[in-house]
Structures are given as structure tokens and as C-alpha cells.
């Protein structure tokens, strides 16, 4: 049996699985609690326990696409699961996380919230009814936080619709007296700031790109310890980290996909380890178009430097 | 795709009517009970019959999973499960052919509603589906329309801070819509009114027993089988309400001190009006008349309001005074009546020497001719 001391103890047995099983496991959704995400989760936890008051604190989590905003929200929602209270004969839904529809007019928005609450059939085609039902059901199920993912979708609306939507947000925050958390990109932040009252109420946290520093090294160490490869990888090494950052542009989603692609490749070609050279290999199929573009630029840069 | 559980799912109360539970749940989402049924089980073809009577098991289990409840709990709300010997054909129809204005024919007790409200939510108990005059728990008159307005629509459940049964037209919660029954006749001494009330409540209680398939006590006769009780009530109420070409129907001869001065019943069509399709006040009027027909002279005069100088409105009086086709119908149907009543009808039959079948066939032919002429008369009307 190979030496699996490079893997964390709980993950060693997995390295002995058949190739297809290991590949399937690598491709599964996973959560690695990197410090920035954990900080955001702690903030969300604090907000969830905030006592009701006239002006509840709200939070905007913003950043580039793929920085893990939606995953943080999903994770937080899963950490505060739904239940059913037999005494009140209602579900308990502490966290209501909604992805905004592509063009979030207030009717569509209320429809989406009702859908998430499990009552999407109610109040269809009647904004006023949908609003009343949303307010009532949110109160009845004891919702303590409303999370709106992809808030930048509101930019697809006309300026008037955007204004109405921002008013809707303010109305809900005042009426339900619960914290509202929005996630989106930098444009969403700018849009939210156009409403002075909301700008006052919303705190903002940016999920910044990864830098080649200690947290990133720790992320690579964690990857090396959990990926079911039978030999020690070079993920921790400076050159490998730099190459990964170059190709991913410090984007969380890209980093995860790239490392997973490298791990799958290592299993398929029998190398059973990720080496720095793998990142320059001709047969490496990069997992996204954006990464391919980055690689081309990187290649051109290198050619220029060589010339 | 698994169906999402609904966030608000009121539990049915132990004695609740299934339609009431469905309507209460629907009210939580501001939809009607029929819409809710479609939402809960979109793939299932609904029979159109009231779910209280015919509740499809597949539909029940689909509803159960989305409302987080055991299928058996829902199934046990069905009237047939609750009362296996229930006379279903005596339930007021809700298919639009009867007088019911909505999915449920309602005759509620405002005290029951108030109790339900105090306990959490107003609801309708299973007995609301039965064509009874009184709530036997509270000895109170059942009512079937809002007394604040003359509503066009059936009452419905609505969310007013909590679920309430409200008048669809004026929005008043019906638990607060207190009606203590009709004002008794002013010329009747209170003790007589009270005695008459006891007789009527007792009769309604026996009718309830018969509806549920239990032996019941028929006035002037004693304990009889449920089927016999219901047959006598059906036949006598039809005879009392039967249209007469020249005179008003027999029921107008009765003026019980409990429901005095009822408007004359003047049917314009030959359609029969079954007892269960009358509204509670009319049922009370007819029930008083039936008690009067069957009881001894003292009770009969009390219930019919007829003074000693007038005729005793007995079964014999009815047989002598109704049109021949009604007499023939009573003679024919009395085969299923209890023996003491059958003897009285047979005595009338032998005295008159009436050929019941011949009279009925002549009547049917005459009706057919009448219908034919009527259809010809209206055939060209666009």
C-alpha cells in the first residue's frame, strides 16, 4: 500500500477507491471554509440573531463572478434549516434566500419569494395580493433574514423599475424588521448606492481576489490534504501557486475548478500527483473559456519575455 | 421533481368537515378550496363531487405529503368514514342543482364557530354537512346566510389576523353574526313555545340519528328503522310541499308558534323540493308540520298552531285534502312505512277505493304533455 501520509487522516481511505469513484468524488460540490468566507458567515450569523428594531442592519456581499458569494449563501441557508412547528401549524424558515429573477419587477420578485416559501401558486398576477401574502407568510414562518442573490439582475430593468425595486427592498426591510442581505457584483453595489436610505443601511463586504499569500497557501495545503491522489502533490510550492493564480486570476471558482481538473487528470494519466509542470502541459484542457483566454495571454507574455 | 411542502398547513380538528379543512388551508393562501385541490394534486382528475363524500385516496395522499400530515388523518375526515351508515342521498347537493351557493352547503352554528375561534381558528364541524335545523351541542338554530346582508355568495374562509368564516358579500365574521332563531308567535304562551321547541329539537335529533343510520323515534309511532324514518319524512314533506294547480300547498295550513307567519309556499313548477334542499327555517316549518301530522291531537295542535275550532291537521286530514296524485303517491310509497302508519294509509285507500297506479300513470302522462307543450312554447326563443 502506498504512503498516504500526505493526506489528512479522514481522507486516506478515499485514495484507495477505484478511479471512477475518486473522479466522481472530486467533481462533487464542496465547501472549504477559507477565512474570508468564514468571516462573512460569522457576520451573517450575528445579523440573524439581531433583535428586531426599526432599522435593521443590512449587508451587501459583492465581488467578481465566481468568488463564492452564492456558495456562502447556500451554505448559510443550509446551516439554518427549515422545520415545522406543530403548535403554530406553520413551517419555520429562518433564512429565506432568493435568487432574483432575470428582470426583477416587484411582481416577479414577490412571486420568487413566495415560490421559495413554498407558496409560489398564491398571489399570481396580482402584485398587491402577492405583496400582502409575502409579508404575512414571511411573518408566519418566522423568517429572520432575507437574502437576495444576484442583486445585479435589477440592472436589467428600466431606471423606473429599478427605483420601484429599491423601494420594495426598503419597504420589506422596514415592514418585516429583518436584516436583508444582497449579493452581487460591483455594478450592484453602485446601483444600491443610488438609494440614499439603502446606502445608509447597507454595510458592504467585498470578496476580493486571492493573492499569493498565507491564506492562499493554506487553501492549497487543504486541497493537497483532501484530494484523493496517491502521491504527494506540489500544490503548496511557490511556482505551482503562482501558476494557479496566473491562470485563475485569483478567482475562487476558477481555482477550485482548475485544481479539480488537475486532480482528475492526475488520476486519468496515472501520475497520481499534481506537479507544477502540469499547468503548462499541452494536454491540459482548461475548464473555462475565461481561463483559456488568460492562459493565451500568459503564453504571449512569456513569448514576449523570451524574445 | 418532488412537490414542495406548503409553509402553512392547518391541522384538521378531530370533528372537522373535510371541506372546511380544505377551505381553511386555501384561505391561508388566498385561493379557493377548488384551486387548492388543483394545486395540491395537479395530475389527478377531480370527480367534482364534494370531497366530504368522495375523497380520492390518491388525491388525499398527494395533499397529505404537501401538507405534512398523515393520509389516514385526512381520509378519516370523510363523512362516510366517520359515519359508515350515513344516508348520503340526504346530503344537500353542491353540484349546482340544489340551493347551495358554493362547494359546501352550510348550516352553521355561530356558537360552534365562536368556540373554534377561541380555540385558534373558526372551522365547520362535520355535522354542518347534515341537513339539520339545530346544533344539538348548543341547542341553537343553525343559520345559512348572513343576517347583516342578503348575500349572493356562499360564505368563505378568509384570513383576518387568523382564519375566520366570513360572509363573502359584507365580510362580517359569521361567529359574530348572532341569530337566536325566529321570533316565536306573540300570541303563544311561553310554556307552549318552549314545549313546541322541545318537540322540534327532539324530532331534529331523531332525524340526525336516522341520517347516521341508527334507529330513530318517529312521533306518534315510536322507534323505527332509520330507512323507515327517512322514507316517512321524505314522503310527508313532499306531500306538504306538493304543488297544487288551484290551491297553495298543504304546508301553508300550518302555523307553528316556533316559525310563525312563514310566507306562503307557492311553487311555480312541478319540480320536487326535497327536505334537505330547504333552508333551515323552511325545514323547521315542514318538520313542525310532519310532527303535527303524526302526533296525537294535543301535540298536533301545538305544532300546527291550529285552534280547537279548526280541523285537526292529522295524517288523515292530509290524505283527504291533498290532490289525488299526492294521495296516490302516499298510498304507493307507504309500503315502506312503519306498520301503524301503513294501516292508517290503507284505511284511507280502502275507503276511497282509489287505483293509485292508474292515477299516477294519468298524472305522469299529463305532466309529459305539459312538458312537451312547454318545450314547444319556448323552442323558438333564442
Amino acid at each position: 500500500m502506498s504512503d498516504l501520509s500526505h493526506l489528512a487522516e479522514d481522507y486516506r481511505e478515499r485514495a484507495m477507491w477505484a478511479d471512477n469513484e475518486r473522479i466522481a468524488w472530486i467533481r462533487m460540490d464542496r465547501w472549504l471554509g477559507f477565512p474570508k468566507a468564514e468571516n462573512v458567515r460569522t457576520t451573517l450569523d450575528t445579523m440573524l440573531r439581531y433583535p428586531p428594531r426599526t432599522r435593521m442592519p443590512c449587508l451587501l456581499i459583492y465581488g467578481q463572478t465566481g468568488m463564492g458569494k452564492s456558495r456562502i449563501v447556500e451554505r448559510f441557508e443550509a446551516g439554518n434549516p427549515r422545520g415545522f412547528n406543530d403548535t403554530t401549524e406553520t413551517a419555520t424558515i429562518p433564512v429565506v434566500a432568493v435568487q432574483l429573477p432575470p428582470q426583477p419587477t416587484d411582481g416577479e420578485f414577490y412571486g420568487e419569494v413566495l415560490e421559495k416559501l413554498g407558496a409560489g401558486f398564491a398571489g399570481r398576477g396580482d402584485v398587491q395580493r402577492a405583496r400582502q401574502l409575502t409579508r404575512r407568510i414571511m411573518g408566519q414562518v418566522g423568517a429572520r433574514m432575507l437574502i437576495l442573490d444576484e442583486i445585479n439582475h435589477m440592472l436589467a430593468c428600466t431606471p423606473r423599475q429599478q427605483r420601484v425595486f429599491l423601494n420594495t427592498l426598503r419597504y420589506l426591510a422596514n415592514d418585516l424588521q429583518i436584516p436583508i442581505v444582497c449579493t452581487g457584483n460591483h455594478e450592484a453595489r453602485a446601483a444600491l448606492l443610488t438609494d440614499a436610505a439603502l446606502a445608509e443601511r447597507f454595510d458592504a463586504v467585498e470578496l476580493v481576489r486571492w493573492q499569493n499569500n498565507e491564506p492562499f497557501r493554506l487553501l492549497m495545503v487543504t486541497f493537497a490534504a483532501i484530494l484523493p491522489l496517491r502521491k504527494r502533490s506540489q500544490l503548496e510550492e511557490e511556482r505551482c501557486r503562482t501558476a494557479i493564480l496566473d491562470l485563475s486570476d485569483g478567482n475562487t471558482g476558477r481555482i477550485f475548478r482548475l485544481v479539480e481538473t488537475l486532480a482528475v487528470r492526475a488520476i486519468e494519466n496515472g501520475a497520481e500527483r499534481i506537479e507544477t509542470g502540469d499547468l503548462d502541459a499541452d494536454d491540459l484542457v482548461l475548464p473555462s473559456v475565461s481561463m483559456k483566454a488568460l492562459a493565451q495571454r500568459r503564453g504571449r507574455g512569456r513569448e514576449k519575455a523570451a524574445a | 421533481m418532488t412537490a414542495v411542502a406548503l409553509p402553512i398547513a392547518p391541522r384538521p380538528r378531530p370533528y372537522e368537515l373535510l371541506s372546511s379543512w380544505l377551505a381553511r388551508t386555501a384561505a391561508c393562501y388566498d385561493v379557493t378550496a377548488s384551486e387548492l385541490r388543483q394545486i395540491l394534486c395537479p395530475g389527478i382528475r377531480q370527480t367534482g363531487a364534494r370531497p366530504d363524500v368522495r375523497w380520492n385516496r390518491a388525491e388525499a395522499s398527494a395533499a397529505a405529503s404537501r401538507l405534512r400530515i398523515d393520509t389516514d388523518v385526512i381520509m378519516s375526515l370523510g363523512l362516510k368514514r366517520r359515519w359508515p351508515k350515513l344516508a348520503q342521498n340526504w346530503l344537500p347537493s353542491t353540484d349546482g342543482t340544489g340551493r347551495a351557493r358554493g362547494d359546501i352547503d352550510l348550516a352553521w352554528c355561530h356558537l360552534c364557530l365562536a368556540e373554534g375561534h377561541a380555540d385558534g381558528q373558526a372551522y365547520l364541524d362535520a355535522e354542518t354537512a347534515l341537513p339539520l335545523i339545530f346544533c344539538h351541542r348548543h341547542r341553537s338554530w343553525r343559520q345559512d346566510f348572513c343576517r347583516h346582508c342578503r348575500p349572493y355568495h356562499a360564505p368563505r374562509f378568509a384570513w383576518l389576523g387568523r382564519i375566520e368564516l366570513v360572509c363573502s358579500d359584507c365580510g362580517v365574521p359569521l361567529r359574530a353574526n348572532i341569530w337566536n332563531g325566529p321570533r316565536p308567535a306573540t300570541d303563544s304562551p311561553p310554556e307552549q313555545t318552549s314545549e313546541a321547541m322541545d318537540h322540534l329539537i327532539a324530532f331534529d335529533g331523531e332525524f340526525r340519528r336516522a341520517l347516521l343510520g341508527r334507529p330513530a323515534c318517529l312521533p306518534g309511532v315510536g322507534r323505527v328503522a332509520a330507512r323507515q324514518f327517512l322514507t316517512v319524512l321524505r314522503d310527508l314533506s313532499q306531500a306538504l310541499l306538493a304543488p297544487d294547480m288551484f290551491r297553495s300547498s298543504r304546508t301553508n295550513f300550518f302555523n307553528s308558534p316556533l316559525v310563525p307567519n312563514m310566507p306562503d309556499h307557492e311553487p311555480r313548477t312541478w319540480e320536487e323540493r326535497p327536505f334537505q334542499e330547504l333552508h333551515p327555517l323552511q325545514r323547521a316549518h315542514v318538520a313542525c308540520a310532519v310532527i303535527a301530522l303524526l302526533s296525537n291531537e294535543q301535540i298536533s295542535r301545538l305544532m300546527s298552531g291550529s285552534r280547537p275550532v279548526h280541523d285537526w291537521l292529522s295524517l288523515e286530514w292530509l290524505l283527504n285534502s291533498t290532490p289525488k296524485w299526492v294521495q296516490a303517491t302516499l298510498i304507493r310509497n307507504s309500503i315502506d312505512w312503519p306498520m301503524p302508519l301503513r294501516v292508517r294509509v290503507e284505511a284511507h285507500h280502502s275507503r276511497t277505493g282509489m287505483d293509485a297506479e292508474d292515477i299516477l300513470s294519468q298524472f305522469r302522462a299529463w305532466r309529459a304533455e305539459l312538458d312537451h307543450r312547454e318545450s314547444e312554447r319556448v323552442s323558438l326563443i333564442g
Side-chain angles (χ1 to χ4, degrees), chain A residues 1-136:
Chain A
M1 187 169 161
S2 357
D3 173 24
L4 299 175
S5 59
H6 60 284
L7 294 178
E9 210 167 312
D10 292 348
Y11 291 81
R12 285 179 192 162
E13 192 202 326
R14 202 164 285 130
M16 303 316 295
W17 289 0
D19 290 359
N20 56 348
E21 287 175 359
R22 285 189 291 155
I23 290 172
W25 185 84
I26 289 169
R27 285 177 177 158
M28 269 173 20
D29 245 354
R30 71 175 46 77
W31 171 262
L32 294 182
F34 55 92
K36 189 75 183 178
E38 288 303 324
N39 285 346
V40 174
R41 274 187 61 196
T42 312
T43 311
L44 293 178
D45 266 328
T46 312
M47 288 171 75
L48 190 67
R49 281 192 291 273
Y50 220 84
R53 48 181 277 188
T54 318
R55 279 203 159 199
M56 292 300 286
C58 298
L59 181 70
L60 171 69
I61 307 167
Y62 70 100
Q64 201 189 9
T65 306
M67 288 307 296
K69 304 181 291 290
S70 302
R71 289 284 292 131
I72 293 173
V73 167
E74 274 172 28
R75 184 84 182 164
F76 185 71
E77 195 187 4
N80 293 282
R82 296 169 175 226
F84 189 79
N85 184 336
D86 276 313
T87 317
T88 59
E89 303 175 340
T90 51
T92 47
I93 310 178
V95 177
V96 181
V98 178
Q99 192 187 154
L100 282 199
Q103 199 178 359
T105 56
D106 53 347
E108 288 238 353
F109 167 67
Y110 287 123
E112 206 66 35
V113 177
L114 284 172
E115 189 71 50
K116 191 71 189 193
L117 289 167
F121 57 86
R124 275 197 187 135
D126 183 342
V127 178
Q128 197 184 340
R129 247 174 81 192
R131 180 172 61 231
Q132 284 169 358
L133 275 169
T134 305
R135 284 174 54 201
R136 173 155 66 74

Side-chain angles (χ1 to χ4, degrees), chain A residues 187-203:
Chain A
E187 290 169 334
R189 178 172 170 265
L192 212 58
L193 286 175
T194 57
D195 187 302
L198 287 177
E200 276 297 311
R201 195 168 303 185
F202 270 83
D203 195 358

